[in-house]
Amino acid sequence: MMKTMKALLGVLLLILCGLTFAPNTALAHGEKALEPFIRMRTIQWYDVMWSKDTLNVNDEVVITGKFHVAEDWPRAVPKPDATYLNVSSPGPVFVRTERYLNGQASVSSAALKLGGDYDFKIVLKARLPGRYHLHPFFNLHDAGAVMGPGHWFEVAGEPAAFTNQVKTLDGNAIDMETYGLANGIGWHVFWFALGTAWLLWWVRRPLFIPRYKMLQSGQGKWLITSLDRKIAMGILFGVPLFVLGANAMTDRQYPNAIPLQAGMDQIEPLPLAVNDGMVKVKVQRTEYHVPARSMTIIAQIQNTSDQSIRIGEFATANVRFLNPGVSSSGTDDADTVIAPQGLSLDSADPIRAGETRTVRVTALDALWATQRLDGLIRDADSRMGGLLFLYDTNGKRHIASISTAVIPKFD
Amino acid sequence: MTAKALEIPPLPYTGEKARLTRAYDYLILVLALFLFIGAFHLHVALTVGDWDFWVDWKDRQWWPLVTPLMMITFPAAVQSLLWSNFRLPMGATLCISCLLIGSWIARIFAYHLWNYFPINEVLPATMLPSALVLDVILMLSNSLTVTSIFGGIAFALLFYPSNWPIFGMFHVPVEYGASQLTIADLFGFQYIRAGTPEYLRLIERGTLRTYGQYATPLSAFCSALLCTLMYPLWWYIGKAFATTRFVKNI
Ligand SMILES: [Cu+2]
């Protein structure tokens, strides 16, 4: 008997402990969790930068960047009609104070247009000291989270120093960290005290076995006294009256209260930044060589600009394959998902103004495997997408968003 | 004097027997406490979930519909056990108190200390006023039908006004990012959380929206109607699971 009780108690404690892990807020860095075709052919991030990476509590960091919404959006992924530009972090160690999409302040979700170009700016204020890896990422309704590039941030200082004051529309300055806390706890304590009093009112008498025996032997009328009934009547009328009174007082106290906001922000795409028409890229065939971990793209490139251009980079799913012969912008050597020598061409000659040439571009690096992008050859949608960066002699950049079926080679 | 004497109930047990049955009472109560804290809290976390966790999910349409409907379940089952067998009208209050203990433990440890959310963003809702009224309706009526109808209705209708004094102040408007937001919405924007962006809230959708200002009362009445059905369902579930075999052996 004692053993079963102990076992039962143990199980109950386990359940209790398990439950406290309920919040799904940590999101243990799902960079590689999604299928490759979702990471490569939905939100195509580039030029993501941060203003600083060591800061104190209350300091602000600005994350800026751009993204292209792929034209070849996978059929299996719902269209981006409700999306939310978010930041992945281990809980609210930063607070997000501002967010802009295409220069427009935005606090809600927005729809994105396929083939659209966007830039963003997120301002974060450090709340808790520590070392954190942050990524901008997109929550796509019904599809999941598409991660942007990540970066480590070091926050020093005292957690108690954090302040977060906000001004309400009726002119009061409030502290977000404690607003409504004392009032909430007060109400919970009040009702809990009342509930406990009612429980103790019953628990103080002999309970289960005596009451069961009396009920079974027809003495049930003794189990509820007239005083019990009086108190019950008091609760029956007193509690609802009190609740309605408190509710009316709250209404009087906050006459401007509004419902939770459910609107969406309207964000127009920027003028064409990717696929701007000056450089046209048409992929003819793409092979993935499994043992070599190299992707070979054969593409016809038509240069209609008045400068000669060279291919400098291929980027997909936040992995950047760089052509060491061409200096490209936005290089962050500390980042681990860059293959600095990863891109090679069949000919180093630039593509002259007006020329149309078929080139063979090879992106070779173990990152195809370590970032779990090679899995796409076994997907139901074995197509790849990404951004091809081309630079002219003046350093001007042209970006082409490409999309292609991938043929695996196993030998 | 004689009237008072009649009020004193006969005691079935005295002496050592009384002490033993009292020890048994405490054993059962402690077990029940753990069981209800664990099981009911799990049930609510899985069914009400985000609506109870986050201040910016406590909307005027779904929150007052879902919460009472999912929180009348265990109270009905435990009432059926405690009232039918022991004439103890405390099943609902006991369940909701246990739920709140579990919720507060989770909010303080899991949400605040381990995941850094300020507690005011994750205050649980209370259903204790509803539970007290449900208990006394059962006690005074001693009827499943009356409790299902009037208890179920009262349980659901009291929910929103009981919680508005806690959460009303989070609906004060703020100008932020060129929009009008509630303070609750602002929590959702500022305090980064990966799993639950605001568009996931099932708020302000469907035909109820058409009624504008009346969204809350309509939701509450809808919930009341469903609670009158949920209550007897869980009463019988409680009855099916309850067994008095262990008492008969004594
Ligand atoms: Cu990371």
Side-chain angles (χ1 to χ4, degrees):
Chain A
M1 181 70 180
M2 223 36 219
K3 249 187 187 164
T4 16
M5 287 282 178
K6 264 186 188 162
L8 196 61
L9 213 71
V11 169
L12 296 176
L13 275 171
L14 265 179
I15 293 175
L16 206 63
C17 293
L19 292 179
T20 41
F21 287 99
N24 54 351
T25 49
L27 194 97
H29 270 78
E31 293 107 314
K32 303 175 199 169
L34 282 181
E35 291 101 321
F37 68 88
I38 300 183
R39 286 185 282 151
M40 295 164 125
R41 282 164 50 210
T42 52
I43 308 291
Q44 298 174 326
W45 306 84
Y46 62 103
D47 288 356
V48 175
M49 278 174 276
W50 11 85
S51 61
K52 56 171 114 170
D53 47 21
T54 50
L55 54 168
N56 276 313
V57 168
N58 286 324
D59 284 356
E60 287 187 335
V61 55
V62 182
I63 301 178
T64 53
K66 299 182 180 129
F67 59 91
H68 178 73
V69 183
E71 284 87 349
D72 180 29
W73 191 272
R75 215 182 131 200
V77 181
K79 296 287 177 286
D81 295 328
T83 71
Y84 191 78
L85 174 58
N86 211 335
V87 175
S88 139
S89 77
V93 294
F94 285 78
V95 291
R96 172 171 37 215
T97 54
E98 295 165 54
R99 189 182 64 177
Y100 301 88
L101 271 172
N102 293 350
Q104 196 179 321
S106 161
V107 289
S108 304
S109 302
L112 300 177
K113 292 208 169 75
L114 299 191
D117 288 300
Y118 299 84
D119 63 24
F120 68 89
K121 175 179 157 188
I122 301 170
V123 183
L124 301 176
K125 181 174 167 186
R127 179 164 174 255
L128 287 169
R131 188 163 182 270
Y132 311 110
H133 205 227
L134 304 190
H135 302 243
F137 79 99
F138 256 101
N139 287 109
L140 303 178
H141 201 183
D142 295 332
V146 179
M147 286 284 162
H151 194 77
W152 284 102
F153 294 85
E154 196 100 41
V155 179
E158 282 300 312
F162 179 74
T163 56
N164 189 9
Q165 298 271 331
V166 168
K167 212 167 172 171
T168 65
L169 273 182
D170 41 27
N172 296 319
I174 60 161
D175 178 3
M176 292 291 281
E177 295 279 306
T178 56
Y179 181 77
L181 181 60
N183 175 67
I185 291 177
W187 278 107
H188 273 284
V189 167
F190 171 77
W191 288 118
F192 202 76
L194 212 63
T196 309
W198 176 249
L199 292 179
L200 288 178
W201 178 254
W202 295 98
V203 166
R204 72 199 166 103
R205 359 184 149 176
L207 290 178
F208 301 108
I209 298 170
R211 289 181 80 91
Y212 182 75
K213 286 270 181 211
M214 284 178 70
L215 192 59
Q216 293 305 309
S217 58
Q219 293 175 297
K221 63 167 180 157
W222 295 106
L223 294 176
I224 305 286
T225 67
S226 63
L227 181 56
D228 292 340
R229 286 180 182 283
K230 273 180 208 146
I231 291 174
M233 288 302 271
I235 289 175
L236 183 61
F237 293 102
V239 166
L241 268 178
F242 182 77
V243 161
L244 293 178
N247 180 61
M249 291 242 305
T250 311
D251 271 340
R252 194 117 51 87
Q253 203 176 348
Y254 304 104
N256 297 324
I258 53 167
L260 295 180
Q261 297 300 289
M264 292 238 282
D265 290 330
Q266 296 303 312
I267 311 283
E268 278 306 303
L270 295 174
L272 288 184
V274 171
N275 297 345
D276 61 1
M278 304 290 275
V279 177
K280 289 181 186 133
V281 179
K282 203 193 250 168
V283 179
Q284 291 167 338
R285 182 178 173 86
T286 300
E287 291 176 359
Y288 181 67
H289 198 235
V290 179
R293 292 184 284 207
S294 84
M295 187 77 75
T296 303
I297 304 163
I298 298 166
Q300 191 192 63
I301 298 181
Q302 186 188 0
N303 179 7
T304 59
S305 76
D306 53 4
Q307 301 281 331
S308 57
I309 50 170
R310 285 146 63 100
I311 297 172
E313 176 182 342
F314 177 66
T316 185
N318 302 320
V319 183
R320 301 174 63 196
F321 300 90
L322 304 185
N323 179 357
V326 178
S327 63
S328 53
S329 55
T331 309
D332 179 356
D333 286 327
D335 213 310
T336 51
V337 283
I338 290 184
Q341 318 275 325
L343 201 71
S344 56
L345 306 172
D346 56 346
S347 156
D349 291 340
I351 303 159
R352 273 175 292 282
E355 186 187 353
T356 301
R357 194 202 297 170
T358 300
V359 296
R360 170 190 281 265
V361 184
T362 304
L364 182 154
D365 199 277
L367 285 170
W368 285 113
T370 55
Q371 293 294 311
R372 295 196 213 138
L373 292 171
D374 55 358
L376 82 99
I377 57 173
R378 285 180 298 275
D379 266 336
D381 191 351
S382 36
R383 292 178 67 81
M384 176 191 78
L387 299 176
L388 204 59
F389 294 81
L390 305 101
Y391 296 86
D392 71 15
T393 36
N394 300 328
K396 184 173 157 38
R397 182 173 70 176
H398 300 278
I399 309 172
S401 176
I402 62 166
S403 160
T404 161
V406 177
I407 315 291
K409 295 277 161 192
F410 298 103
D411 51 342
Chain B
M1 199 62 210
T2 29
K4 265 236 162 89
L6 281 174
E7 286 272 302
I8 298 168
L11 285 170
Y13 298 120
T14 49
E16 185 62 13
K17 253 188 163 177
R19 253 198 304 282
L20 269 173
T21 56
R22 193 61 181 153
Y24 182 77
D25 287 346
Y26 285 128
L27 183 70
I28 294 291
L29 281 174
V30 168
L31 278 175
L33 201 71
F34 275 104
L35 179 71
F36 298 152
I37 289 176
F40 194 22
H41 180 215
L42 176 67
H43 169 84
V44 168
L46 292 179
T47 53
V48 185
D50 287 318
W51 277 292
D52 199 49
F53 299 154
W54 310 105
V55 68
D56 60 325
W57 273 67
K58 293 182 168 60
D59 66 307
R60 58 183 185 176
Q61 186 176 320
W62 290 95
W63 180 51
L65 179 74
V66 172
T67 317
L69 189 59
M70 289 302 148
M71 288 194 186
I72 202 171
T73 53
F74 276 53
V78 175
Q79 275 191 339
S80 117
L81 168 72
L82 290 185
W83 182 254
S84 313
N85 296 311
F86 310 106
R87 286 288 179 269
L88 281 170
M90 58 176 206
T93 309
L94 181 65
C95 280
I96 298 289
S97 299
C98 289
L99 170 68
L100 281 171
I101 292 171
S103 298
W104 272 101
I105 291 173
R107 302 308 152 88
I108 290 172
F109 288 96
Y111 286 78
H112 182 62
L113 295 177
W114 295 340
N115 282 296
Y116 318 122
F117 288 99
I119 296 181
N120 52 354
E121 186 183 358
V122 293
L123 285 173
T126 185
M127 290 235 58
L128 272 172
S130 300
L132 282 165
V133 170
L134 190 62
D135 273 340
V136 301
I137 288 179
L138 176 63
M139 176 190 139
L140 294 170
S141 70
N142 187 20
S143 148
L144 171 59
T145 314
V146 171
T147 312
S148 296
I149 296 171
F150 295 101
I153 289 173
F155 193 83
L157 292 190
L158 280 174
F159 171 71
Y160 204 84
S162 312
N163 283 282
W164 190 241
I166 302 177
F167 296 104
M169 61 195 299
F170 291 97
H171 288 250
V172 168
V174 185
E175 184 188 336
Y176 209 84
S179 309
Q180 177 181 236
L181 293 182
T182 65
I183 292 172
D185 293 314
L186 189 56
F187 270 106
F189 178 73
Q190 286 194 329
Y191 291 80
I192 300 167
R193 58 177 196 248
T196 48
E198 49 86 34
Y199 67 74
L200 289 179
R201 305 182 304 207
L202 266 173
I203 68 171
E204 305 285 327
R205 290 221 201 136
T207 46
L208 274 179
R209 181 73 195 90
T210 326
Y211 297 95
Q213 295 296 312
Y214 302 104
T216 309
L218 273 168
S219 273
F221 277 107
C222 195
S223 189
L225 181 72
L226 292 170
C227 277
T228 59
L229 303 171
M230 200 71 152
Y231 185 86
L233 177 70
W234 279 77
W235 173 282
Y236 285 116
I237 291 177
K239 200 168 184 165
F241 274 96
T243 162
T244 48
R245 262 175 301 167
F246 56 91
V247 193
K248 288 195 182 114
N249 294 338
I250 298 168

